[in-house]
Amino acid sequence: MAGQSTPYYTPTSKPTATSAHLLKKNVFLVGLVLFLCSFFYLFGSWQPRIATTSTVTSLRTTTVNCATTSTSTPFNSTVGDTTTDSPKDLDFTTHHSAAIDDGFTLKNYPPCSVKYSEYTPCQDQKRSLKFPRDRLIYRERHCPEKDELLKCRVPAPFGYKNPFKWPTSRDLAWYANVPHKDLTVEKAVQNWIRFEGDRFRFPGGGTMFPNGADAYIDDIGKLINLKDGSIRTAIDTGCGVASWGAYLLSRNIIAMSFAPKDTHEAQVQFALERGVPALIGVIASKRLPYPSRAFDMAHCSRCLIPWGQYDGVYLIEVDRVLRPGGYWILSGPPINWRNHWKGWERTEDDLNEEQTQIERVAKSLCWKKVVEKGDLSIWQKPINHLNCKTNRKITQNPPLCPVQNPDSAWYTDIETCLTRLPEVSSSEEVAGGAIANWPKRLDMVPPRIISQSIEGVTPETFQEDVLLWKKRISYYKTVNNQLGQPGRYRNVLDMNAFLGGFAASLVKDPLWVMNIVPVEAKVDTLGAIYERGLIGTYQSWCEAMSTYPRTYDLIHADSVFTLYKDRCEMEDIMLEMDRVLRPEGSLIVRADVDLLVKVKRIADGLNWESQIVDHEDGPLEREKLLFAVKLYWTAPADSD
């Protein structure tokens, strides 16, 4: 009837006459279905079993026993379609077993001699003496040939202890971990480092800041703004024990500190032991291993680099890695030489000439001198090269470089020409694109991606990567609960960082990540990583890293063994991972299951405790993860 509402059912209502009729009809249909199902089941069971020639799709569950302890977690994977002439039972045998014989030889890697406890393969002092001393070329990277590579595990010194947790580690380090007292004598009056019983103390002093790095940084902060987030990344040339970088961290500024492996024994090693980012390095004949426009601030405090010599080539290299509008800070000779020349044991004319050379080079780079006050002098790089190009019509010293890749920095010669900045349309425009202040810049699409200068990487790619790594880090923490414990890890290495998503997802934890972009990677993304306010370097994992043994607490290797398959030996990469990892340090390796089984076997030979687990998207993914821990061991007590 028109206007009558349609009856409906609720859990508390009684059936109407219409609903009762429908209920009887449904009972009849259900009964019919049950009768037919029973009939065909009994009929089918009576028929004899016959062979079939049709294609049979079988789901095979493959289990890998991938641990050395009873706490191991097996994982499952599916194998594709197979064609058979007769039905076969489900196959439950192990198809990806570490024990399977596929011609892959299982090795045990013995400990190296204790004389290699601080071995840095590409900065070996004996090898370096074969190279020219001119311009410190002998202190650059010179790596061993393939037949010279060690096939043993670098030992920790006897008595090695886990470092103090950050921020305590900024001020203290165990003597047994870095058993060198030379700096405590040589730099005693400069407040670098003190020896106290079984440990070292770092008062925060430096050659040019005997009152401490904190007070020195405060002085810099009175001259340029260190608080608004416009300065996030810094580079410290000739860093000593990296106290400048250590005290910048509390201001949300992260510095890449470097110094050569020289007569000041273990400078960089002390920095890393303190939990401060650092690499062994030197400005000599090759570019620094960083992209162009990477750092907001560069610093030299009596770093002994002859900035005005060799046509200003060293300042030209600083200009390449300095972001448009970035600052260069110099303290020590020759700054304020009129008050210090006697103590520096140099003549007034000599120091005056050195400062004149520096001023001349800085001007030729179109830098503006911001201020010179006391022992500090600060210059600023222009935000673009419009005016600089106009000046080049008058003077050609140094000339603008020809069109080239300014980010190429792996064994690339330094050139005595001015690295071109990206083109702009007005004098107010920042070359390469303006970058937000920290921390906003971390999650904003980097200008290099917006400008499409990284092939195949779009803003959508970036946003997907941000979400992907938040998901992955969450999963990592469920497998390795120590990753979620603040202070468990301090120095972290990401061997194949892509856009820095791994590091960005951990940025609120009290740790720092060295983001590596392999030189063999399909695209160079390191510039974008720096534009996010993170740090990193270029590296080929067919060679050793420019760092000391026992540098990192956690190593992350995403698709590294896929990238280097058929390029260099897997065992050599893993021996290098073992060298730079601390005792009781952790590893996370992502790879296809077939590769990961081989990684697992080498890990067993390295005496790592390891376990393969499923991908975060479940067991049907071929990519798996290996979680491992390097066991604690040291050289024997009588090895000295």
Side-chain angles (χ1 to χ4, degrees):
M1 183 180 293
Q4 184 175 350
S5 62
T6 303
Y8 61 92
Y9 175 76
T10 67
T12 59
S13 66
K14 294 181 180 181
T16 63
T18 303
S19 61
H21 171 73
L22 291 174
L23 188 59
K24 291 179 181 179
K25 187 176 180 179
N26 287 339
V27 169
F28 171 77
L29 290 174
V30 170
L32 179 62
V33 170
L34 288 173
F35 170 77
L36 291 174
C37 288
S38 301
F39 171 78
F40 284 112
Y41 173 78
L42 293 171
F43 179 77
S45 64
W46 173 79
Q47 294 294 322
R49 186 175 181 180
I50 59 174
T52 179
T53 58
S54 64
T55 301
V56 178
T57 302
S58 63
L59 182 65
R60 299 184 176 182
T61 304
T62 310
T63 304
V64 179
N65 184 2
C66 51
T68 57
T69 69
S70 60
T71 59
S72 58
T73 304
F75 69 90
N76 302 321
S77 65
T78 58
V79 180
D81 298 345
T82 58
T83 302
T84 178
D85 292 333
S86 60
K88 291 185 178 180
D89 294 334
L90 291 177
D91 180 4
F92 290 99
T93 58
T94 301
H95 291 277
H96 292 287
S97 169
I100 198 168
D101 183 9
D102 58 0
F104 190 88
T105 304
L106 181 62
K107 294 183 182 178
N108 286 316
Y109 299 91
C112 304
S113 166
V114 70
K115 70 179 181 180
Y116 292 109
S117 67
E118 295 179 357
Y119 184 50
T120 55
C122 297
Q123 279 84 17
D124 180 66
Q125 290 182 331
K126 290 183 179 179
R127 184 179 298 105
S128 70
L129 295 177
K130 301 176 183 177
F131 295 89
R133 290 179 173 267
D134 181 50
R135 283 181 53 178
L136 300 181
I137 290 174
Y138 75 109
R139 286 182 179 161
E140 293 183 317
R141 285 176 59 87
H142 303 292
C143 298
E145 298 295 331
K146 187 174 181 179
D147 59 357
E148 297 177 286
L149 298 176
L150 294 181
K151 302 291 185 178
C152 54
R153 296 177 290 137
V154 173
F158 178 75
Y160 179 89
K161 301 179 183 179
N162 289 328
F164 294 95
K165 288 186 177 181
W166 184 267
T168 304
S169 64
R170 186 189 68 179
D171 304 324
L172 296 173
W174 297 112
Y175 168 74
N177 294 9
V178 193
H180 299 288
K181 296 182 182 178
D182 295 356
L183 284 177
T184 64
V185 177
E186 187 173 345
K187 301 294 183 180
V189 298
Q190 296 170 7
N191 229 15
W192 277 31
I193 182 173
R194 298 173 187 164
F195 178 62
E196 299 177 352
D198 60 351
R199 64 195 66 186
F200 292 108
R201 181 175 296 278
F202 301 90
T207 306
M208 292 307 300
F209 36 95
N211 295 326
D214 234 5
Y216 176 78
I217 294 170
D218 285 342
D219 289 341
I220 295 174
K222 295 172 185 176
L223 306 176
I224 58 175
N225 196 332
L226 299 179
K227 296 180 179 179
D228 65 353
S230 60
I231 296 176
R232 163 62 181 174
T233 56
I235 185 169
D236 191 12
T237 56
C239 65
V241 294
S243 288
W244 187 71
Y247 281 84
L248 278 174
L249 289 167
S250 62
R251 294 164 168 83
N252 282 322
I253 298 173
I254 187 165
M256 177 68 78
S257 301
F258 73 88
K261 187 177 181 182
D262 61 4
T263 53
H264 293 170
E265 200 163 19
Q267 290 181 93
V268 168
Q269 192 175 14
F270 276 123
L272 292 163
E273 194 68 20
R274 298 174 71 185
V276 181
L279 284 172
I280 301 171
V282 62
I283 299 184
S285 67
K286 305 295 181 186
R287 284 180 172 178
L288 296 171
Y290 315 112
S292 64
R293 313 193 319 271
F295 299 99
D296 301 310
M297 177 169 60
H299 174 256
C300 163
S301 174
R302 200 171 188 177
C303 58
L304 305 180
I305 297 173
W307 296 112
Q309 296 181 23
Y310 309 111
D311 298 319
V313 68
Y314 302 132
L315 271 184
I316 289 172
E317 176 60 2
V318 169
D319 178 84
R320 183 185 71 85
V321 301
L322 201 59
R323 186 161 292 142
Y327 297 96
W328 182 58
I329 302 171
L330 176 64
S331 65
I335 304 304
N336 201 11
W337 58 266
R338 289 178 177 84
N339 291 325
H340 294 301
W341 67 274
K342 291 182 180 179
W344 290 340
E345 297 180 352
R346 291 175 60 183
T347 67
E348 295 176 276
D349 289 343
D350 178 33
L351 288 162
N352 184 36
E353 174 59 23
E354 182 180 352
Q355 179 149 359
T356 301
Q357 285 182 340
I358 290 172
E359 302 277 7
R360 187 185 304 124
V361 175
K363 187 176 181 180
S364 74
L365 296 174
C366 304
W367 291 3
K368 178 182 72 175
K369 190 166 188 180
V370 176
V371 65
E372 182 172 328
K373 184 176 181 180
D375 295 336
L376 287 166
S377 192
I378 302 177
W379 287 262
Q380 186 174 24
K381 180 178 177 175
I383 61 172
N384 59 60
H385 276 167
L386 275 186
N387 293 331
C388 196
K389 286 181 179 179
T390 302
N391 294 337
R392 281 295 174 283
K393 296 177 181 179
I394 302 173
T395 174
Q396 291 293 320
N397 187 25
L400 285 166
C401 294
V403 177
Q404 55 174 233
N405 179 5
D407 294 345
S408 176
W410 187 249
Y411 295 117
T412 303
D413 290 338
I414 295 179
E415 297 181 278
T416 52
C417 56
L418 180 59
T419 303
R420 295 173 181 265
L421 287 174
E423 297 293 333
V424 295
S425 56
S426 70
S427 59
E428 291 79 27
E429 184 180 348
V430 178
I435 299 175
N437 291 354
W438 180 263
K440 289 184 178 179
R441 70 172 70 171
L442 179 69
D443 293 319
M444 295 188 70
V445 181
R448 278 172 163 89
I449 295 177
I450 294 175
S451 65
Q452 300 181 339
S453 60
I454 303 176
E455 184 181 355
V457 180
T458 65
E460 291 74 24
T461 306
F462 175 80
Q463 298 295 353
E464 290 169 2
D465 191 71
V466 169
L467 296 176
L468 174 68
W469 281 105
K470 288 181 179 178
K471 174 183 177 181
R472 286 182 169 179
I473 292 296
S474 177
Y475 179 65
Y476 288 176
K477 289 181 178 180
T478 65
V479 180
N480 177 4
N481 59 13
Q482 295 185 30
L483 188 57
Q485 298 174 8
R488 170 62 181 89
Y489 303 117
R490 174 63 187 170
N491 302 358
V492 179
L493 174 66
D494 191 357
M495 295 177 68
N496 188 15
F498 188 44
L499 296 174
F502 173 80
S505 296
L506 294 170
V507 76
K508 293 183 180 179
D509 294 344
L511 54 79
W512 59 271
V513 179
M514 182 69 77
N515 293 283
I516 302 295
V517 172
V519 294
E520 295 86 356
K522 185 178 180 181
V523 291
D524 178 2
T525 53
L526 191 55
I529 288 173
Y530 272 95
E531 287 175 342
R532 299 187 71 179
L534 305 171
I535 60 169
T537 185
Y538 295 111
Q539 174 69 38
S540 170
W541 290 115
C542 290
E543 298 181 3
M545 194 176 178
S546 292
T547 193
Y548 283 87
R550 302 171 298 282
T551 291
Y552 293 100
D553 308 302
L554 173 65
I555 295 177
H556 181 251
D558 178 14
S559 305
V560 169
F561 296 104
T562 304
L563 178 63
Y564 284 94
K565 187 179 180 182
D566 303 324
R567 280 193 167 106
C568 45
E569 297 297 328
M570 183 184 293
E571 70 171 3
D572 292 329
I573 298 176
M574 293 184 67
L575 281 163
E576 175 64 4
M577 294 165 74
D578 185 81
R579 183 184 75 87
V580 303
L581 187 66
R582 296 189 191 278
E584 298 186 332
S586 300
L587 304 100
I588 305 173
V589 182
R590 304 179 69 96
D592 179 86
V593 61
D594 291 333
L595 273 177
L596 208 58
V597 168
K598 295 179 180 179
V599 171
K600 174 75 169 71
R601 296 183 205 171
I602 297 176
D604 292 342
L606 292 168
N607 202 28
W608 297 351
E609 186 174 284
S610 62
Q611 171 180 343
I612 297 176
V613 302
D614 286 332
H615 189 277
E616 61 270 5
D617 289 337
L620 301 185
E621 296 289 335
R622 280 196 58 85
E623 184 178 71
K624 305 295 178 187
L625 291 85
L626 180 137
F627 284 77
V629 175
K630 177 180 174 180
L631 299 181
Y632 177 87
W633 68 282
T634 71
D638 58 356
S639 58
D640 291 343

